[in-house]
Amino acid sequence: MTKYVPTIGIECHVQLRTQTKLFSEVDNDARLKEPNTCMSPIDYGLPGMLPRLNHEAVMLSIKVGLALNSEINLESRFDRKHYFYPDSPKGYQITQMYHPIIGEGYVELPSGQKIRIEHAHLEEDAGKLSHEKGYSLVDLNRVGTPLVEIVSMPDMHSATEARDYAKELWRTMTHAGVTYGDLYNGNMRFDINVSVAAEGSPQLGTRTEVKNLNSFRSVERAVEYEIKRQTKILEKGEQVVQETRGWNDATGETTGQRSKESATDYRYMPEPDIPVIRLSEEDVERCKAELAMLPMDYRKWMRKYLPADTIEIILDYPQLSSKLTELKDRCHEDNSIATAEIITKVANLFTSVLLAEENTSLLNDEMPTCTQLIDLINMNLKNELSSTATKEVFLKFYDPEMHYKPSLDIAKELGVIQENDINALGKIVDAVLAKPETAKAQADYKSGQEKVLGFLVGQVMKESHGKANPASVQKILKEKLK
């Protein structure tokens, strides 16, 4: 039986986080805006309206290239890509077909596998169509939004690899600070190219392109579906049709949309209204100096302290990665601080408390200070705070009224500081052991039933209003019940 091998390449459109659009001085953030309100005569392509290139978009494009380990082309230029579509009022798109700003590079996955980048180019976005029953609505707010389209080489051979690449690319772009990375609002969109060929074939199979996927799960599912669909076609002895297909997330299926165009169909021509982009080595070096830490940089130091699964969760949130790095640097400045324990416990608070479903909205608030976090963990390590109390204080850091309050003050206000004084605890234990209702448990413990010790600890905790250190209480009880 013939074995078939899939090959996948991905094109990703990254919306740049500029204040204005690529060729017009119009607000680039259309989220929550009324349709067709973020527009200008330039975006509509009215006669006599000339584009003016956004310098900020060029600088962010350089950072995209650097984050992709790519060559930056010091000279690049724009072309017109002609096509008519309701969401593109000019009748053409300004893009970089022949001389892109970003050359060859690669993205390294957490597994160490490198997915090569063929190139990445700067271009303007089109609008958005909403299809209703019997008609479609056009929103042109997105027209002219600056995009960098990142084109991978066909280096992926499974749906899992495609998903991992899409996610790592998203992490890389968001950590680099070049995009908001809001997948729901289309800040990054993935087009997957899938082909299937018989194992050992010198040529790749006929590819199909599934466009505008906006989640990693959709990328994985769409690739899985296309591999199965194309394999069935080949097993019947039929030919796969080269076409553009759409993805239906509800049904988990792709459907044909139109035959795949070639470059000649778009009648490319040099863009006459925008001069050649000429960069200097100084421009590139300045962007390199401004580039934030990237996921692989974080992994290198985090692996010393945290398990891989925890690291991958944290890397989904740039503000958490950044805060942990700041915390690590602060700990290193003070040799008396237990860096490993601080990092481990704070990372656990981030993943198990802050990212709990009901608390994810707190990510939009101001982060705790390093001093607050270090003091909190030290109080826990000294048994001044139980695990539960530590979580309570941690969540209070996100209360606007508590942002800059010392951890100790917050703990006192909450009344959660544990009693560790042996003499004070001994008096509370004596009071509990003197109660008639604990007599049977004491007798059972002395007869060898050690499980009842938990009941006695609970009684002491109740007597102390939860402030007693359970470990100390247990030790005292064992001494007194000998």
Side-chain angles (χ1 to χ4, degrees):
M1 185 175 179
T2 304
K3 182 178 180 182
Y4 293 94
V5 178
T7 300
I8 303 114
I10 295 180
E11 298 165 11
C12 177
H13 294 84
V14 181
Q15 286 188 4
L16 300 178
R17 56 185 299 175
T18 55
Q19 292 184 335
T20 56
K21 292 186 177 183
L22 187 54
F23 301 118
S24 66
E25 296 175 0
V26 177
D27 188 359
N28 188 38
D29 187 0
R31 290 176 296 178
L32 304 180
K33 304 283 176 55
E34 288 294 318
N36 301 304
T37 56
C38 296
M39 291 293 294
S40 78
I42 293 174
D43 302 316
Y44 282 118
L46 297 182
M49 298 296 103
L50 296 177
R52 184 165 69 175
L53 182 59
N54 185 333
H55 178 266
E56 184 186 10
V58 175
M59 294 299 105
L60 288 177
S61 298
I62 296 173
K63 291 182 179 179
V64 169
L66 294 171
L68 295 173
N69 307 288
S70 293
E71 299 175 11
I72 305 299
N73 296 320
L74 299 183
E75 185 172 296
S76 60
R77 61 188 68 194
F78 288 98
D79 304 285
R80 285 188 183 182
K81 176 182 181 180
H82 293 87
Y83 65 94
F84 176 77
Y85 212 60
D87 63 3
S88 184
K90 290 201 296 280
Y92 62 86
Q93 177 193 33
I94 301 177
T95 183
Q96 292 183 320
M97 174 65 180
Y98 299 109
H99 303 280
I101 189 170
I102 299 168
E104 295 179 358
Y106 65 89
V107 171
E108 185 174 346
L109 305 187
S111 64
Q113 178 186 2
K114 291 182 179 180
I115 306 299
R116 293 172 297 161
I117 301 299
E118 181 188 276
H119 77 274
H121 57 268
L122 183 59
E123 64 182 19
E124 61 179 341
D125 205 351
K128 181 181 180 182
L129 292 176
S130 299
H131 302 290
E132 306 294 336
K133 288 186 177 179
Y135 65 93
S136 296
L137 299 173
V138 183
D139 181 5
L140 299 177
N141 278 345
R142 210 166 64 188
V143 168
T145 292
L147 297 179
V148 168
E149 181 174 345
I150 301 169
V151 182
S152 84
M153 296 292 281
D155 286 350
M156 292 157 275
H157 300 283
S158 71
T160 302
E161 286 182 1
R163 178 203 63 203
D164 290 348
Y165 167 77
K167 188 163 190 177
E168 190 64 14
L169 189 58
W170 172 80
R171 284 172 172 160
T172 301
M173 294 297 103
T174 51
H175 277 86
V178 299
T179 182
Y180 292 112
D182 184 343
L183 296 177
Y184 179 79
N185 284 297
N187 288 173
M188 288 181 70
R189 307 191 300 277
F190 303 95
D191 300 343
I192 59 169
N193 292 281
V194 182
S195 67
V196 174
E199 187 176 34
S201 172
Q203 294 182 330
L204 297 178
T206 302
R207 67 184 172 90
T208 60
E209 182 178 29
V210 184
K211 298 187 72 70
N212 291 325
L213 303 171
N214 67 349
S215 77
F216 313 126
R217 181 63 179 142
S218 293
V219 168
E220 183 177 30
R221 292 176 68 206
V223 170
E224 285 176 345
Y225 181 84
E226 271 303 292
I227 291 173
K228 291 178 182 177
R229 185 187 72 85
Q230 293 183 28
T231 299
K232 287 180 180 178
I233 291 173
L234 295 176
E235 286 176 341
K236 292 178 183 177
E238 300 173 358
Q239 293 293 317
V240 174
V241 176
Q242 182 172 340
E243 61 182 342
T244 297
R245 299 178 68 84
W247 169 251
N248 187 319
D249 210 44
T251 64
E253 298 177 340
T254 65
T255 52
Q257 292 182 328
R258 63 180 186 271
S259 60
K260 183 65 178 172
E261 300 90 344
S262 63
T264 55
D265 295 320
Y266 292 120
R267 306 187 329 277
Y268 283 97
M269 61 172 278
E271 169 55 54
D273 295 329
I274 304 174
V276 174
I277 299 175
R278 290 189 173 89
L279 303 172
S280 66
E281 293 287 358
E282 288 73 22
D283 292 326
V284 177
E285 288 302 317
R286 184 165 59 252
C287 289
K288 188 179 295 184
E290 295 172 354
L291 192 64
M293 284 182 67
L294 300 175
M296 289 310 297
D297 300 320
Y298 285 112
R299 287 189 185 96
K300 286 176 184 176
W301 77 258
M302 286 185 181
R303 284 169 179 159
K304 298 178 182 177
Y305 305 101
L306 303 173
D309 56 346
T310 300
I311 294 172
E312 298 310 311
I313 293 171
I314 288 172
L315 288 177
D316 286 344
Y317 305 91
Q319 61 270 58
L320 301 186
S321 308
S322 178
K323 177 55 69 173
L324 276 183
T325 302
E326 182 187 351
L327 193 62
K328 180 256 300 179
D329 293 341
R330 171 71 182 278
C331 290
H332 284 174
E333 290 172 7
D334 186 346
N335 293 328
S336 64
I337 298 175
T339 303
E341 290 180 289
I342 298 288
I343 296 297
T344 301
K345 286 184 174 289
V346 170
N348 183 59
L349 289 171
F350 283 160
T351 54
S352 65
V353 180
L354 184 59
L355 299 182
E357 188 172 341
E358 66 273 17
N359 295 322
T360 50
S361 62
L362 297 178
L363 283 165
N364 299 319
D365 296 339
E366 192 171 349
M367 293 289 289
T369 66
C370 286
T371 299
Q372 284 179 314
L373 292 168
I374 290 171
D375 289 348
L376 173 66
I377 301 306
N378 280 333
M379 290 173 71
N380 175 260
L381 293 173
K382 294 175 183 176
N383 292 320
E384 294 171 0
L385 292 177
S386 66
S387 296
T388 300
T390 301
K391 293 176 182 179
E392 288 183 53
V393 176
F394 174 73
L395 285 174
K396 278 295 180 180
F397 289 157
Y398 293 89
D399 184 332
E401 296 181 2
M402 302 282 189
H403 274 328
Y404 299 106
K405 275 194 174 184
S407 302
L408 179 60
D409 291 353
I410 296 174
K412 286 180 177 177
E413 286 186 32
L414 293 174
V416 294
I417 296 178
Q418 287 190 151
E419 177 61 71
N420 285 299
D421 183 274
I422 298 300
N423 292 329
L425 288 176
K427 292 178 181 177
I428 298 174
V429 170
D430 287 340
V432 168
L433 295 180
K435 292 181 178 182
E437 58 264 34
T438 67
K440 184 177 184 304
Q442 294 178 54
D444 290 343
Y445 178 80
K446 290 178 179 178
S447 67
Q449 298 181 44
E450 295 187 0
K451 289 183 179 179
V452 299
L453 191 65
F455 167 76
L456 294 171
V457 171
Q459 293 300 303
V460 176
M461 295 301 294
K462 184 179 179 180
E463 185 75 14
S464 69
H465 304 290
K467 293 183 179 181
N469 182 338
S472 298
V473 169
Q474 190 175 81
K475 185 176 180 181
I476 293 170
L477 280 169
K478 287 180 177 179
E479 287 291 325
K480 290 182 178 290
L481 293 174
K482 281 183 177 178

